[in-house]
Coordinates of all heavy atoms in Angstrom, one line a residue:
M1 N 0.9 -1.2 0.0 CA 0.0 0.0 0.0 C 0.9 1.2 0.0 O 1.8 1.4 0.9 CB -0.9 -0.1 1.3 CG -1.6 1.1 1.6 SD -2.7 1.1 3.1 CE -3.4 -0.5 3.2
N2 N 0.7 2.1 -0.9 CA 1.5 3.3 -1.0 C 1.0 4.4 0.1 O 0.0 4.2 0.7 CB 1.6 3.9 -2.4 CG 0.2 4.5 -2.9 OD1 -0.5 5.1 -2.1 ND2 -0.1 4.3 -4.1
Q3 N 1.7 5.4 0.2 CA 1.4 6.4 1.2 C 0.0 7.0 1.1 O -0.7 7.1 2.1 CB 2.5 7.6 1.1 CG 2.3 8.6 2.2 CD 3.3 9.7 2.1 OE1 3.7 10.1 1.0 NE2 3.8 10.1 3.3
I4 N -0.4 7.4 -0.1 CA -1.7 7.9 -0.3 C -2.8 6.9 0.0 O -3.8 7.3 0.7 CB -1.9 8.4 -1.8 CG1 -0.8 9.5 -2.2 CG2 -3.3 8.9 -2.1 CD1 -0.9 10.7 -1.3
E5 N -2.7 5.7 -0.4 CA -3.6 4.7 -0.1 C -3.7 4.4 1.4 O -4.8 4.2 2.0 CB -3.3 3.3 -0.8 CG -3.4 3.4 -2.3 CD -2.8 2.1 -3.0 OE1 -1.9 1.5 -2.4 OE2 -3.3 1.8 -4.1
R6 N -2.5 4.4 2.1 CA -2.5 4.2 3.5 C -3.2 5.4 4.3 O -4.0 5.1 5.2 CB -1.0 4.2 4.0 CG -0.8 3.8 5.4 CD 0.6 3.6 5.8 NE 1.5 4.8 5.5 CZ 2.5 4.8 4.6 NH1 2.7 3.6 3.9 NH2 3.2 5.8 4.3
I7 N -3.0 6.6 3.8 CA -3.6 7.7 4.5 C -5.1 7.6 4.3 O -5.9 7.8 5.2 CB -3.0 9.1 4.0 CG1 -1.6 9.2 4.5 CG2 -3.9 10.2 4.4 CD1 -0.8 10.3 3.8
K8 N -5.6 7.3 3.1 CA -7.0 7.2 2.8 C -7.6 6.1 3.6 O -8.7 6.2 4.2 CB -7.2 6.9 1.3 CG -7.0 8.1 0.4 CD -7.3 7.7 -1.0 CE -7.1 8.9 -1.9 NZ -7.4 8.6 -3.4
Y9 N -6.9 5.0 3.7 CA -7.4 3.8 4.5 C -7.6 4.2 5.9 O -8.6 3.9 6.5 CB -6.4 2.6 4.3 CG -6.7 1.4 5.2 CD1 -7.7 0.6 4.8 CD2 -6.0 1.2 6.3 CE1 -8.0 -0.6 5.6 CE2 -6.2 0.1 7.1 CZ -7.2 -0.8 6.7 OH -7.5 -1.9 7.5
F10 N -6.5 4.8 6.5 CA -6.6 5.1 8.0 C -7.5 6.3 8.2 O -8.1 6.4 9.3 CB -5.2 5.3 8.5 CG -4.5 4.0 8.8 CD1 -3.4 3.6 7.9 CD2 -4.9 3.1 9.7 CE1 -2.8 2.4 8.1 CE2 -4.3 1.9 9.9 CZ -3.2 1.5 9.1
E11 N -7.7 7.1 7.3 CA -8.7 8.2 7.4 C -10.1 7.6 7.5 O -10.9 8.1 8.3 CB -8.6 9.2 6.2 CG -9.6 10.4 6.3 CD -9.4 11.3 7.4 OE1 -8.2 11.4 8.0 OE2 -10.3 12.0 7.8
E12 N -10.4 6.6 6.7 CA -11.7 6.0 6.7 C -11.9 5.3 8.1 O -13.0 5.4 8.7 CB -11.8 4.9 5.6 CG -13.2 4.3 5.5 CD -13.3 3.4 4.3 OE1 -12.8 3.7 3.2 OE2 -13.8 2.3 4.5
I13 N -10.9 4.6 8.6 CA -11.0 4.0 9.9 C -11.2 5.0 11.0 O -12.0 4.9 11.9 CB -9.7 3.1 10.2 CG1 -9.7 1.9 9.3 CG2 -9.7 2.7 11.7 CD1 -8.4 1.1 9.4
F14 N -10.5 6.1 10.9 CA -10.6 7.2 11.8 C -12.1 7.8 11.8 O -12.7 8.0 12.9 CB -9.6 8.3 11.5 CG -9.8 9.6 12.3 CD1 -9.5 9.7 13.6 CD2 -10.4 10.7 11.7 CE1 -9.7 10.8 14.4 CE2 -10.6 11.9 12.4 CZ -10.2 11.9 13.8
E15 N -12.6 8.0 10.6 CA -14.0 8.5 10.5 C -15.0 7.5 11.1 O -15.9 7.9 11.8 CB -14.3 8.9 9.1 CG -13.5 10.1 8.6 CD -13.8 10.4 7.2 OE1 -14.5 9.7 6.5 OE2 -13.2 11.4 6.7
E16 N -14.9 6.3 10.8 CA -15.8 5.2 11.3 C -15.7 5.1 12.8 O -16.7 5.0 13.5 CB -15.5 3.9 10.6 CG -15.8 3.8 9.2 CD -15.5 2.4 8.6 OE1 -15.2 1.5 9.3 OE2 -15.4 2.4 7.3
T17 N -14.5 5.1 13.3 CA -14.3 5.0 14.7 C -14.8 6.2 15.5 O -15.4 6.1 16.5 CB -12.8 4.8 15.0 OG1 -12.3 3.6 14.3 CG2 -12.6 4.6 16.5
S18 N -14.5 7.4 14.9 CA -15.0 8.6 15.5 C -16.6 8.6 15.6 O -17.1 9.0 16.6 CB -14.6 9.9 14.7 OG -13.2 10.0 14.8
A19 N -17.2 8.2 14.5 CA -18.7 8.2 14.5 C -19.2 7.1 15.5 O -20.1 7.4 16.3 CB -19.2 7.8 13.1
A20 N -18.5 6.0 15.6 CA -19.0 4.9 16.6 C -18.8 5.4 18.0 O -19.6 5.2 18.9 CB -18.2 3.6 16.3
V21 N -17.6 6.0 18.3 CA -17.4 6.6 19.6 C -18.4 7.6 20.0 O -19.0 7.6 21.1 CB -15.9 7.1 19.8 CG1 -15.7 7.9 21.0 CG2 -14.9 5.9 19.7
N22 N -18.7 8.5 19.1 CA -19.7 9.6 19.4 C -21.1 9.0 19.6 O -21.8 9.4 20.5 CB -19.7 10.6 18.3 CG -18.4 11.5 18.2 OD1 -17.8 11.7 19.3 ND2 -18.1 12.0 17.1
N23 N -21.4 8.0 18.8 CA -22.7 7.3 18.9 C -22.8 6.6 20.2 O -23.9 6.7 20.9 CB -23.0 6.4 17.8 CG -23.3 7.1 16.5 OD1 -23.6 8.2 16.4 ND2 -23.1 6.4 15.4
L24 N -21.8 5.9 20.6 CA -21.8 5.2 21.9 C -21.8 6.1 23.0 O -22.6 5.9 24.0 CB -20.5 4.3 22.0 CG -20.4 3.5 23.3 CD1 -21.6 2.6 23.5 CD2 -19.1 2.7 23.2
S25 N -21.1 7.2 23.0 CA -21.1 8.2 24.0 C -22.5 8.7 24.3 O -23.0 8.8 25.4 CB -20.2 9.3 23.7 OG -20.2 10.3 24.7
S26 N -23.2 9.1 23.2 CA -24.5 9.6 23.3 C -25.5 8.5 23.8 O -26.3 8.8 24.7 CB -25.0 10.0 21.9 OG -26.3 10.5 21.9
A27 N -25.4 7.3 23.3 CA -26.2 6.2 23.8 C -26.0 5.9 25.3 O -27.0 5.7 26.0 CB -26.0 4.9 22.9
L28 N -24.8 5.9 25.7 CA -24.5 5.7 27.1 C -25.0 6.8 28.0 O -25.5 6.6 29.1 CB -23.0 5.5 27.3 CG -22.4 4.2 26.9 CD1 -20.9 4.1 27.0 CD2 -23.1 3.0 27.6
E29 N -24.9 8.1 27.5 CA -25.5 9.2 28.3 C -27.0 9.0 28.4 O -27.6 9.2 29.5 CB -25.2 10.5 27.6 CG -23.8 11.0 27.8 CD -23.5 12.3 27.0 OE1 -24.4 13.0 26.8 OE2 -22.3 12.5 26.7
N30 N -27.7 8.6 27.3 CA -29.1 8.4 27.4 C -29.5 7.3 28.3 O -30.4 7.3 29.1 CB -29.7 8.2 25.9 CG -29.6 9.4 25.1 OD1 -29.6 10.5 25.5 ND2 -29.6 9.1 23.8
Y31 N -28.7 6.2 28.2 CA -29.0 5.0 29.0 C -28.8 5.3 30.5 O -29.6 4.9 31.3 CB -28.0 3.9 28.5 CG -28.2 2.6 29.2 CD1 -29.3 1.7 28.9 CD2 -27.3 2.1 30.2 CE1 -29.4 0.5 29.5 CE2 -27.5 0.9 30.8 CZ -28.6 0.1 30.5 OH -28.7 -1.1 31.1
S32 N -27.7 6.0 30.8 CA -27.4 6.4 32.2 C -28.5 7.3 32.7 O -29.0 7.1 33.8 CB -26.1 7.1 32.2 OG -25.8 7.5 33.6
A33 N -29.0 8.2 31.9 CA -30.0 9.2 32.3 C -31.4 8.5 32.6 O -32.1 9.0 33.5 CB -30.2 10.3 31.3
I34 N -31.6 7.4 32.0 CA -33.0 6.8 32.2 C -33.0 5.7 33.3 O -34.0 5.2 33.7 CB -33.4 6.1 30.8 CG1 -34.9 5.8 30.8 CG2 -32.7 4.8 30.6 CD1 -35.8 7.1 30.8
Q35 N -31.8 5.4 33.9 CA -31.7 4.4 34.9 C -32.7 4.6 36.1 O -33.2 3.6 36.6 CB -30.3 4.2 35.3 CG -29.4 3.6 34.3 CD -30.0 2.3 33.7 OE1 -30.2 1.3 34.4 NE2 -30.3 2.3 32.4
E36 N -32.8 5.8 36.6 CA -33.7 6.0 37.7 C -35.1 5.6 37.4 O -35.8 4.9 38.2 CB -33.6 7.4 38.2 CG -34.4 7.7 39.5 CD -34.2 9.1 40.1 OE1 -33.0 9.6 40.0 OE2 -35.1 9.6 40.6
K37 N -35.6 6.0 36.2 CA -36.9 5.6 35.8 C -37.0 4.1 35.5 O -38.0 3.4 35.8 CB -37.3 6.3 34.5 CG -37.6 7.8 34.8 CD -38.1 8.5 33.5 CE -38.4 9.9 33.8 NZ -38.9 10.6 32.6
Y38 N -35.9 3.5 35.0 CA -35.9 2.0 34.8 C -36.1 1.3 36.1 O -36.9 0.3 36.2 CB -34.5 1.6 34.2 CG -34.3 0.2 34.1 CD1 -34.9 -0.6 33.1 CD2 -33.5 -0.5 35.0 CE1 -34.7 -2.0 33.1 CE2 -33.3 -1.8 34.9 CZ -33.9 -2.6 34.0 OH -33.7 -3.9 33.9
F39 N -35.4 1.8 37.2 CA -35.6 1.1 38.5 C -37.0 1.3 39.0 O -37.5 0.4 39.7 CB -34.5 1.6 39.5 CG -33.2 1.0 39.2 CD1 -32.1 1.8 38.8 CD2 -33.0 -0.4 39.2 CE1 -30.9 1.2 38.4 CE2 -31.7 -1.0 38.9 CZ -30.7 -0.1 38.5
E40 N -37.6 2.4 38.7 CA -39.0 2.7 39.1 C -39.9 1.6 38.4 O -40.8 1.0 39.0 CB -39.5 4.0 38.7 CG -39.0 5.2 39.5 CD -39.6 6.5 39.1 OE1 -40.8 6.6 39.1 OE2 -38.8 7.4 38.7
L41 N -39.6 1.4 37.1 CA -40.4 0.4 36.4 C -40.2 -1.0 36.9 O -41.2 -1.8 37.1 CB -40.0 0.4 34.9 CG -40.7 -0.5 33.9 CD1 -42.2 -0.2 33.9 CD2 -40.1 -0.4 32.5
M42 N -39.0 -1.4 37.3 CA -38.7 -2.7 37.9 C -39.5 -2.8 39.2 O -40.1 -3.8 39.5 CB -37.2 -2.8 38.2 CG -36.4 -3.1 37.0 SD -34.6 -3.3 37.3 CE -34.5 -4.2 38.8
N43 N -39.5 -1.7 40.0 CA -40.2 -1.8 41.3 C -41.7 -1.9 41.0 O -42.4 -2.7 41.7 CB -39.9 -0.5 42.1 CG -40.6 -0.5 43.4 OD1 -40.4 -1.5 44.2 ND2 -41.4 0.5 43.7
Y44 N -42.3 -1.2 40.0 CA -43.7 -1.3 39.7 C -44.0 -2.8 39.3 O -45.0 -3.3 39.7 CB -44.0 -0.4 38.5 CG -45.3 -0.6 37.8 CD1 -46.5 -0.4 38.5 CD2 -45.4 -1.0 36.5 CE1 -47.7 -0.5 37.9 CE2 -46.6 -1.2 35.9 CZ -47.8 -1.0 36.6 OH -49.0 -1.2 36.0
Y45 N -43.1 -3.4 38.5 CA -43.4 -4.8 38.1 C -43.4 -5.7 39.2 O -44.1 -6.7 39.2 CB -42.3 -5.2 37.1 CG -42.5 -6.5 36.4 CD1 -43.6 -6.7 35.6 CD2 -41.6 -7.5 36.5 CE1 -43.9 -7.9 35.0 CE2 -41.8 -8.8 35.9 CZ -42.9 -8.9 35.1 OH -43.1 -10.2 34.5
G46 N -42.6 -5.4 40.3 CA -42.6 -6.2 41.5 C -43.7 -5.9 42.5 O -43.8 -6.7 43.5
T47 N -44.4 -4.8 42.3 CA -45.4 -4.5 43.3 C -46.8 -4.3 42.8 O -47.6 -5.2 42.8 CB -45.0 -3.1 44.0 OG1 -44.8 -2.1 43.1 CG2 -43.7 -3.3 44.8
D48 N -47.1 -3.2 42.2 CA -48.5 -2.8 41.8 C -48.9 -3.4 40.4 O -50.1 -3.4 40.1 CB -48.6 -1.3 41.7 CG -48.5 -0.7 43.1 OD1 -48.9 -1.3 44.0 OD2 -47.9 0.5 43.1
W49 N -47.9 -3.9 39.6 CA -48.2 -4.3 38.3 C -49.3 -5.4 38.3 O -50.3 -5.3 37.5 CB -47.0 -4.9 37.6 CG -47.3 -5.4 36.2 CD1 -47.3 -4.7 35.1 CD2 -47.6 -6.7 35.9 NE1 -47.6 -5.5 34.0 CE2 -47.8 -6.8 34.5 CE3 -47.8 -7.9 36.6 CZ2 -48.2 -7.9 33.8 CZ3 -48.1 -9.1 35.9 CH2 -48.3 -9.1 34.5
L50 N -49.2 -6.4 39.1 CA -50.2 -7.5 39.1 C -51.6 -7.0 39.3 O -52.5 -7.5 38.6 CB -49.8 -8.6 40.1 CG -50.7 -9.8 40.1 CD1 -50.7 -10.5 38.7 CD2 -50.2 -10.8 41.2
K51 N -51.8 -6.1 40.3 CA -53.2 -5.6 40.5 C -53.7 -4.9 39.3 O -54.8 -5.0 38.8 CB -53.2 -4.7 41.7 CG -54.6 -4.1 41.9 CD -54.6 -3.1 43.1 CE -56.0 -2.6 43.4 NZ -57.0 -2.6 42.4
D52 N -52.8 -4.0 38.7 CA -53.2 -3.3 37.5 C -53.5 -4.3 36.3 O -54.5 -4.1 35.6 CB -52.1 -2.3 37.1 CG -51.9 -1.2 38.1 OD1 -52.8 -1.0 38.9 OD2 -50.9 -0.5 38.0
Y53 N -52.7 -5.3 36.2 CA -52.9 -6.3 35.2 C -54.3 -7.0 35.4 O -55.1 -7.1 34.4 CB -51.8 -7.3 35.2 CG -52.1 -8.5 34.3 CD1 -51.9 -8.4 32.9 CD2 -52.5 -9.7 34.8 CE1 -52.1 -9.5 32.0 CE2 -52.8 -10.8 33.9 CZ -52.6 -10.7 32.6 OH -52.9 -11.7 31.8
E54 N -54.5 -7.4 36.6 CA -55.8 -8.1 36.9 C -57.0 -7.2 36.7 O -58.0 -7.6 36.2 CB -55.8 -8.6 38.3 CG -54.8 -9.8 38.5 CD -54.6 -10.2 39.9 OE1 -55.0 -9.5 40.9 OE2 -54.0 -11.3 40.1
D55 N -56.9 -5.9 37.1 CA -58.0 -5.0 36.8 C -58.2 -4.8 35.3 O -59.3 -4.6 34.9 CB -57.7 -3.6 37.5 CG -57.9 -3.7 39.0 OD1 -58.4 -4.7 39.5 OD2 -57.4 -2.7 39.7
D56 N -57.1 -4.8 34.6 CA -57.3 -4.6 33.1 C -58.0 -5.9 32.6 O -58.9 -5.7 31.7 CB -55.9 -4.5 32.5 CG -56.0 -4.2 31.0 OD1 -56.9 -3.4 30.6 OD2 -55.2 -4.8 30.2
E57 N -57.6 -7.0 33.0 CA -58.2 -8.3 32.5 C -59.7 -8.4 32.9 O -60.5 -8.9 32.2 CB -57.5 -9.5 33.1 CG -56.1 -9.7 32.5 CD -56.1 -10.2 31.1 OE1 -56.8 -11.2 30.8 OE2 -55.5 -9.4 30.3
S58 N -60.1 -7.8 34.0 CA -61.5 -7.8 34.4 C -62.3 -6.6 33.9 O -63.4 -6.4 34.3 CB -61.6 -7.9 36.0 OG -61.1 -6.7 36.6
G59 N -61.7 -5.8 33.0 CA -62.4 -4.7 32.4 C -62.5 -3.4 33.2 O -63.2 -2.5 32.8
K60 N -61.7 -3.3 34.3 CA -61.8 -2.1 35.1 C -60.9 -1.0 34.6 O -61.1 0.2 35.0 CB -61.3 -2.4 36.5 CG -62.3 -3.4 37.2 CD -61.7 -3.7 38.6 CE -62.6 -4.8 39.3 NZ -62.1 -5.2 40.6
I61 N -60.1 -1.2 33.6 CA -59.2 -0.2 33.0 C -59.8 0.2 31.7 O -60.2 -0.7 30.9 CB -57.8 -0.8 32.8 CG1 -57.2 -1.3 34.1 CG2 -56.9 0.3 32.2 CD1 -56.9 -0.3 35.2
P62 N -59.9 1.5 31.4 CA -60.5 1.9 30.1 C -59.8 1.3 28.9 O -58.6 1.3 28.9 CB -60.4 3.4 30.2 CG -60.2 3.8 31.6 CD -59.5 2.6 32.2
K63 N -60.5 0.9 28.0 CA -60.0 0.2 26.8 C -59.2 1.2 25.9 O -58.3 0.8 25.2 CB -61.0 -0.5 26.0 CG -61.7 -1.7 26.7 CD -60.6 -2.7 26.9 CE -61.3 -3.9 27.7 NZ -60.3 -4.9 28.2
D64 N -59.5 2.5 26.0 CA -58.8 3.5 25.2 C -57.5 4.0 25.8 O -56.8 4.8 25.3 CB -59.7 4.7 24.8 CG -60.2 5.4 26.1 OD1 -60.1 4.9 27.2 OD2 -60.6 6.6 25.9
L65 N -57.2 3.5 27.0 CA -55.9 3.9 27.7 C -54.8 3.0 27.2 O -54.8 1.8 27.1 CB -56.1 3.6 29.2 CG -54.9 3.9 30.1 CD1 -54.6 5.4 30.1 CD2 -55.1 3.4 31.5
K66 N -53.7 3.7 26.8 CA -52.5 3.0 26.3 C -52.0 2.3 27.5 O -51.7 2.8 28.6 CB -51.5 4.0 25.8 CG -50.3 3.4 25.2 CD -49.4 4.4 24.6 CE -48.2 3.7 23.9 NZ -47.3 4.7 23.3
R67 N -51.8 1.0 27.4 CA -51.4 0.1 28.5 C -50.5 -1.0 28.1 O -50.6 -2.2 28.6 CB -52.6 -0.4 29.2 CG -53.6 -1.2 28.4 CD -54.9 -1.3 29.2 NE -55.8 -2.2 28.5 CZ -56.5 -1.8 27.5 NH1 -56.5 -0.6 27.0 NH2 -57.4 -2.7 26.9
G68 N -49.6 -0.8 27.2 CA -48.6 -1.8 26.8 C -47.8 -2.3 28.0 O -47.4 -3.5 28.0
V69 N -47.7 -1.5 29.0 CA -47.0 -1.9 30.2 C -47.7 -3.0 31.0 O -47.1 -3.7 31.7 CB -46.8 -0.7 31.1 CG1 -48.1 -0.2 31.8 CG2 -45.7 -0.9 32.2
L70 N -48.9 -3.2 30.6 CA -49.7 -4.3 31.3 C -49.6 -5.6 30.5 O -50.2 -6.6 31.0 CB -51.1 -3.9 31.5 CG -51.3 -2.7 32.4 CD1 -52.8 -2.3 32.5 CD2 -50.7 -2.9 33.8
S71 N -48.9 -5.6 29.4 CA -48.7 -6.9 28.7 C -48.0 -7.9 29.6 O -47.2 -7.5 30.4 CB -47.8 -6.6 27.5 OG -47.2 -7.8 27.0
Q72 N -48.4 -9.1 29.5 CA -47.8 -10.1 30.4 C -46.3 -10.2 30.2 O -45.5 -10.5 31.1 CB -48.4 -11.5 30.2 CG -49.8 -11.6 30.7 CD -50.3 -13.0 30.7 OE1 -49.8 -13.9 30.0 NE2 -51.3 -13.3 31.5
D73 N -45.8 -10.0 29.0 CA -44.4 -10.2 28.7 C -43.6 -9.0 28.5 O -42.3 -9.0 28.5 CB -44.2 -11.1 27.5 CG -44.8 -12.5 27.7 OD1 -44.8 -13.0 28.8 OD2 -45.4 -13.0 26.7
A74 N -44.2 -7.8 28.3 CA -43.5 -6.6 27.9 C -42.4 -6.2 28.9 O -41.2 -6.0 28.5 CB -44.4 -5.5 27.6
I75 N -42.7 -6.0 30.1 CA -41.7 -5.6 31.1 C -40.7 -6.7 31.4 O -39.5 -6.4 31.4 CB -42.4 -5.1 32.4 CG1 -43.3 -3.9 32.2 CG2 -41.3 -4.8 33.5 CD1 -44.0 -3.5 33.5
Y76 N -41.1 -7.9 31.5 CA -40.2 -9.0 31.7 C -39.2 -9.1 30.6 O -38.0 -9.2 30.8 CB -40.9 -10.3 31.8 CG -40.0 -11.5 32.0 CD1 -39.5 -11.8 33.3 CD2 -39.6 -12.2 30.9 CE1 -38.6 -12.8 33.5 CE2 -38.7 -13.3 31.1 CZ -38.2 -13.6 32.4 OH -37.3 -14.6 32.5
D77 N -39.7 -8.9 29.3 CA -38.8 -9.0 28.2 C -37.8 -7.8 28.2 O -36.6 -8.0 27.9 CB -39.6 -9.0 26.9 CG -40.3 -10.3 26.6 OD1 -40.1 -11.3 27.3 OD2 -41.2 -10.3 25.7
L78 N -38.3 -6.6 28.6 CA -37.4 -5.5 28.7 C -36.3 -5.7 29.7 O -35.2 -5.4 29.5 CB -38.2 -4.2 29.0 CG -37.4 -2.9 29.2 CD1 -36.6 -2.6 28.0 CD2 -38.3 -1.8 29.7
L79 N -36.7 -6.2 30.9 CA -35.8 -6.5 32.0 C -34.7 -7.5 31.5 O -33.5 -7.3 31.8 CB -36.5 -7.0 33.2 CG -37.5 -6.1 33.9 CD1 -38.2 -6.8 35.1 CD2 -36.9 -4.8 34.3
A80 N -35.2 -8.5 30.8 CA -34.2 -9.6 30.3 C -33.3 -9.0 29.3 O -32.1 -9.2 29.3 CB -35.0 -10.8 29.8
K81 N -33.8 -8.2 28.4 CA -33.0 -7.6 27.3 C -32.0 -6.6 27.9 O -30.9 -6.6 27.5 CB -33.9 -6.9 26.3 CG -33.2 -6.4 25.1 CD -34.1 -5.8 24.1 CE -33.3 -5.3 22.8 NZ -34.2 -4.9 21.8
N82 N -32.4 -5.9 28.9 CA -31.5 -4.9 29.6 C -30.4 -5.7 30.2 O -29.2 -5.3 30.1 CB -32.3 -4.1 30.6 CG -31.5 -3.0 31.1 OD1 -30.9 -2.1 30.4 ND2 -31.3 -2.9 32.4
R83 N -30.7 -6.8 30.9 CA -29.7 -7.6 31.5 C -28.7 -8.2 30.5 O -27.5 -8.1 30.7 CB -30.4 -8.7 32.3 CG -29.4 -9.6 33.0 CD -28.9 -9.0 34.3 NE -28.1 -10.0 35.0 CZ -27.2 -9.7 35.9 NH1 -27.0 -8.5 36.2 NH2 -26.6 -10.6 36.5
E84 N -29.2 -8.7 29.4 CA -28.4 -9.2 28.4 C -27.5 -8.1 27.8 O -26.3 -8.3 27.5 CB -29.2 -9.8 27.2 CG -29.9 -11.1 27.6 CD -30.9 -11.5 26.5 OE1 -30.9 -11.0 25.4 OE2 -31.7 -12.4 26.8
L85 N -28.0 -6.9 27.6 CA -27.2 -5.8 27.1 C -26.1 -5.4 28.1 O -25.0 -5.1 27.7 CB -28.1 -4.6 26.9 CG -27.5 -3.3 26.4 CD1 -26.8 -3.5 25.1 CD2 -28.5 -2.2 26.3
Q86 N -26.4 -5.4 29.4 CA -25.4 -5.1 30.4 C -24.3 -6.1 30.3 O -23.1 -5.7 30.4 CB -26.0 -5.0 31.8 CG -27.0 -3.9 32.0 CD -27.8 -4.0 33.3 OE1 -28.0 -5.1 33.8 NE2 -28.4 -2.9 33.7
I87 N -24.6 -7.4 30.2 CA -23.6 -8.4 30.1 C -22.7 -8.2 28.8 O -21.5 -8.3 28.9 CB -24.2 -9.8 30.2 CG1 -24.7 -10.0 31.6 CG2 -23.2 -10.9 29.8 CD1 -25.6 -11.2 31.7
K88 N -23.4 -7.9 27.7 CA -22.7 -7.7 26.5 C -21.8 -6.5 26.6 O -20.6 -6.6 26.1 CB -23.7 -7.5 25.3 CG -23.1 -7.4 24.0 CD -24.2 -7.3 22.9 CE -23.5 -7.2 21.5 NZ -24.5 -7.2 20.5
I89 N -22.2 -5.4 27.2 CA -21.3 -4.3 27.4 C -20.1 -4.6 28.2 O -19.0 -4.3 27.8 CB -22.1 -3.1 28.0 CG1 -23.1 -2.5 27.1 CG2 -21.2 -2.0 28.5 CD1 -24.1 -1.6 27.7
L90 N -20.3 -5.4 29.3 CA -19.2 -5.8 30.1 C -18.2 -6.7 29.3 O -17.0 -6.5 29.4 CB -19.6 -6.5 31.3 CG -20.3 -5.7 32.4 CD1 -20.9 -6.5 33.5 CD2 -19.3 -4.7 33.0
E91 N -18.7 -7.6 28.5 CA -17.9 -8.5 27.7 C -17.1 -7.7 26.6 O -15.9 -7.9 26.4 CB -18.7 -9.6 27.1 CG -19.3 -10.6 28.0 CD -20.3 -11.6 27.4 OE1 -20.8 -11.3 26.3 OE2 -20.6 -12.6 28.1
I92 N -17.8 -6.8 26.0 CA -17.1 -6.0 24.9 C -16.0 -5.2 25.6 O -14.9 -5.1 25.1 CB -18.1 -5.1 24.2 CG1 -19.0 -6.0 23.3 CG2 -17.4 -4.0 23.4 CD1 -20.2 -5.2 22.7
F93 N -16.3 -4.5 26.6 CA -15.3 -3.6 27.3 C -14.2 -4.4 27.9 O -13.0 -4.0 27.8 CB -16.0 -2.7 28.3 CG -16.8 -1.6 27.7 CD1 -17.9 -1.1 28.3 CD2 -16.5 -1.1 26.4 CE1 -18.7 -0.1 27.8 CE2 -17.2 -0.1 25.9 CZ -18.3 0.4 26.5
A94 N -14.5 -5.6 28.4 CA -13.4 -6.4 28.9 C -12.5 -6.9 27.8 O -11.2 -6.8 28.0 CB -14.0 -7.6 29.7
D95 N -13.0 -7.2 26.7 CA -12.2 -7.6 25.5 C -11.4 -6.5 25.0 O -10.2 -6.6 24.7 CB -13.2 -8.1 24.4 CG -12.4 -8.7 23.3 OD1 -11.5 -9.6 23.5 OD2 -12.7 -8.4 22.1
I96 N -12.0 -5.3 25.0 CA -11.3 -4.1 24.5 C -10.1 -3.8 25.5 O -9.0 -3.5 25.0 CB -12.2 -2.9 24.4 CG1 -13.2 -3.1 23.2 CG2 -11.4 -1.6 24.2 CD1 -14.3 -2.1 23.2
L97 N -10.4 -3.9 26.8 CA -9.3 -3.6 27.7 C -8.2 -4.6 27.6 O -7.0 -4.3 27.8 CB -9.9 -3.6 29.2 CG -10.8 -2.4 29.5 CD1 -11.4 -2.5 30.8 CD2 -10.0 -1.1 29.4
R98 N -8.5 -5.9 27.4 CA -7.5 -6.9 27.2 C -6.6 -6.6 26.0 O -5.4 -6.9 26.1 CB -8.1 -8.3 27.1 CG -8.6 -8.9 28.4 CD -8.8 -10.4 28.3 NE -10.0 -11.0 28.0 CZ -11.3 -10.7 28.3 NH1 -11.5 -9.6 28.8 NH2 -12.3 -11.4 28.0
K99 N -7.2 -6.2 25.0 CA -6.5 -5.9 23.7 C -5.7 -4.6 23.8 O -4.7 -4.4 23.1 CB -7.4 -5.8 22.5 CG -8.0 -7.1 22.2 CD -9.0 -7.0 21.0 CE -9.6 -8.3 20.6 NZ -10.6 -8.1 19.6
G100 N -6.2 -3.7 24.6 CA -5.7 -2.3 24.7 C -4.4 -2.0 25.2 O -3.8 -1.1 25.1

């Protein structure tokens, strides 16, 4: 690879890496900012959710009320996906640190 090709090649890597780092930084800021609300949701799922779910099943909740949170699997799936994501983040960062 000649000098011009090398510079072009590494410029492309630099641009891709810069974009990925900026995207990850933004995503982590958003993820961090929502954690307090996430823990509220986890607490809701462990306390009042079942009563709200049962009331919805018995027709006590208005049908025009948005209530995806009362889906039997929605919160559980979110909690599981979040846990998987946390593990994946740790694995990726551990691998990066080992290589680094």
